[in-house]
């Protein structure tokens, strides 16, 4: 099915190019766009009104080079992420908030294409600070240890993780020096997963402790469809009471299409739809919607 480029995509590309010019970023090749839209909900039912809340922009090699996050009401781009590649590997990631660069990372890789190091820089007006360099150690291609060093080469924290035979991180512990915390602020994780006879994760309880002392415990139950794709996720409180139920629907290619969120009474409270747009040529005069 071939359509003209929609006004939404035109606005998206204009914003992307304007931001690129402002930050001296070369124009990017746009061949695929994944648009996530949120629908307006009234009385537990979705209406026909929707607005984009997220866009992932890919090039002709199917690499995601730009991710945009939009406010629902105003459609203002409040956050965006840029990835820079060498071949298939991301070598730099820039993170912006309210059009201001606040953090960027530089990556190197092992011979078998795992991340070897990540240098994290924090950006403030007129100042850029090298926060930490992360060095990764792997077992069965899973990161079992991460050492963080400062600009002087001194270790400021170490993260140790344990994974089960299914690849789920079941334990994480961080030991840090004063003044340093991981970028995600997580100091410990304990996960207790449950699997079915097919090795599918059907439940888990995750306990996370943060650098400010908060401890967050969440429990989940999962369901799968005939193609072994996750079709539902339920979040429970510590007493086992249902908080939300999220259902996931896919197209014939196994691509996620619809996400519906219900409250404990079964009333719809959120509905999102994903649209996959393909642009066969550089001029983007033609658009194909991948159903």
């Amino acid at each position: 099915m071939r359509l003209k480029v929609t006004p939404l995509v035109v606005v998206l590309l204009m914003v992307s190019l304007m931001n690129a010019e402002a930050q001296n970023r070369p124009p990017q090749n746009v061949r695929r766009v994944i648009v996530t839209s949120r629908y307006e909900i009234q009385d537990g039912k979705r209406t026909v009104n929707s607005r984009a809340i997220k866009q992932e922009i890919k090039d002709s090699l199917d690499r995601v080079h730009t991710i945009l996050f939009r406010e629902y009401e105003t459609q203002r781009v409040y956050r965006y992420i840029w990835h820079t590649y060498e071949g298939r590997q991301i070598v730099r990631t820039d993170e912006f908030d309210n059009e201001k660069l606040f953090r960027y990372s530089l990556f190197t890789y092992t011979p078998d294409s795992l991340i070897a190091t990540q240098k994290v820089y924090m950006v403030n007006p007129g100042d850029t600070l090298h926060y930490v360099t992360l060095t990764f150690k792997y077992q069965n291609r899973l990161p079992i240890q991460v050492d963080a060093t400062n600009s002087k080469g001194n270790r400021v924290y170490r993260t140790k993780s344990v994974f089960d035979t299914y690849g789920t991180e079941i334990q994480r512990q961080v030991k840090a020096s004063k003044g340093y915390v991981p970028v995600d602020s997580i100091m410990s994780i304990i996960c207790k997963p449950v699997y079915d006879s097919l090795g599918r994760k059907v439940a888990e309880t995750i306990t996370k402790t943060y650098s400010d002392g908060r401890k967050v415990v969440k429990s989940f139950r999962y369901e799968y469809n005939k193609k072994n794709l996750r079709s539902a996720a339920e979040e429970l409180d510590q007493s086992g009471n249902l908080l939300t139920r999220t259902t996931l629907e896919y197209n014939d290619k196994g691509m996620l299409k619809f996400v519906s969120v219900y409250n404990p009474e079964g009333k719809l409270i959120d509905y999102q739809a994903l649209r996959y747009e393909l642009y066969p040529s550089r001029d983007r005069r033609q658009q194909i919607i991948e159903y």
Side-chain angles (χ1 to χ4, degrees):
M1 180 177 181
R2 296 184 181 273
L3 304 170
K4 293 183 179 180
V5 178
T6 63
L8 173 61
V9 173
V10 173
V11 172
L12 158 66
L13 297 176
M14 288 178 63
V15 170
S16 179
L17 293 175
M18 287 171 61
N19 286 334
E21 183 179 359
Q23 302 293 338
N24 298 317
R25 189 192 195 198
Q28 301 297 297
N29 179 4
V30 178
R31 292 300 180 91
R32 294 177 183 270
V33 180
I34 304 174
V35 181
T36 302
S37 296
R38 170 170 287 134
Y39 279 75
E40 181 182 345
I41 305 296
Q42 290 184 354
D43 299 324
K45 296 181 180 180
R46 69 177 177 91
T47 70
V48 297
N49 301 318
S50 67
R51 295 185 179 96
I53 58 172
K54 181 182 178 182
Q55 288 138 334
E56 300 166 77
I57 307 174
K58 299 184 178 184
D59 62 16
S60 57
L61 298 178
D62 206 37
R63 303 177 302 188
V64 178
H65 60 70
T66 304
I67 304 173
L68 304 176
F69 299 89
R70 291 179 173 274
E71 291 180 350
Y72 178 80
E73 292 292 343
T74 67
Q75 287 295 279
R76 183 180 72 90
V77 177
Y78 66 90
R79 177 175 165 83
Y80 52 97
I81 298 171
W82 290 347
H83 294 310
T84 302
Y85 291 83
E86 287 184 4
R88 294 285 183 175
Q89 296 175 340
I90 296 174
V91 295
R92 175 170 175 144
T93 294
D94 294 88
E95 300 177 72
F96 297 81
D97 184 62
N98 291 319
E99 300 188 9
K100 301 293 185 181
L101 177 66
F102 71 91
R103 183 171 61 217
Y104 69 89
S105 296
L106 305 178
F107 300 89
T108 65
Y109 292 82
T110 66
D112 50 355
S113 299
L114 298 172
I115 295 176
T117 64
Q118 177 185 356
K119 287 187 176 181
V120 181
Y121 293 84
M122 310 303 290
V123 181
N124 293 304
D127 181 42
T128 298
L129 170 68
H130 170 250
Y131 183 57
V132 290
T133 295
L134 305 177
T135 303
F136 296 81
K137 180 180 178 181
Y138 296 88
Q139 181 177 322
N140 298 324
R141 301 185 66 84
L142 297 169
I144 59 171
Q145 182 173 302
V146 182
D147 285 323
T149 55
N150 61 17
S151 58
K152 296 180 180 180
N154 299 321
R155 193 177 76 201
V156 293
Y157 69 81
R158 169 175 283 179
T159 300
K160 288 190 174 183
S161 297
V162 177
F163 295 82
D164 65 13
T165 56
Y166 295 96
T168 298
E169 185 181 30
I170 57 174
Q171 184 176 332
R172 183 195 303 179
Q173 190 66 45
V174 180
K175 291 185 178 181
S177 302
K178 185 177 180 180
Y180 284 89
V181 297
V183 174
D184 61 9
S185 299
I186 297 174
M187 302 303 292
S188 71
I189 292 178
I190 297 176
C191 177
K192 297 180 180 179
V194 178
Y195 302 93
D196 64 12
S197 59
L198 298 178
R200 302 177 302 190
K201 187 187 296 181
V202 294
E204 63 183 337
T205 298
I206 305 172
T207 303
K208 294 182 180 180
T209 303
Y210 292 86
S211 58
D212 61 3
R214 288 182 299 122
K215 180 178 287 188
V216 178
V217 181
K218 292 187 176 183
S219 295
F220 302 91
R221 291 192 299 239
Y222 305 114
E223 300 172 10
Y224 298 83
N225 62 21
K226 294 180 180 179
K227 295 183 178 180
N228 284 329
L229 298 172
R230 185 170 290 175
S231 59
E234 295 181 337
E235 182 178 352
L236 315 171
D237 65 17
Q238 295 188 48
S239 299
N241 299 312
L242 181 65
L243 295 176
T244 60
R245 176 177 172 83
T246 301
T247 61
L248 310 170
E249 300 176 57
Y250 304 84
N251 64 14
D252 293 338
K253 298 178 182 178
M255 301 160 68
L256 181 63
K257 287 289 294 181
F258 304 112
V259 180
S260 304
V261 183
Y262 301 87
N263 68 11
E265 289 73 41
K267 188 175 182 179
L268 183 68
I269 56 175
D270 190 26
Y271 186 90
Q272 298 179 22
L274 284 77
R275 185 175 72 244
Y276 300 86
E277 303 171 351
L278 171 63
Y279 300 91
S281 60
R282 286 182 177 273
D283 60 17
R284 299 185 290 275
R285 291 183 179 276
Q286 290 182 321
Q287 179 196 70
I288 300 173
I289 303 297
E290 296 181 299
Y291 290 102

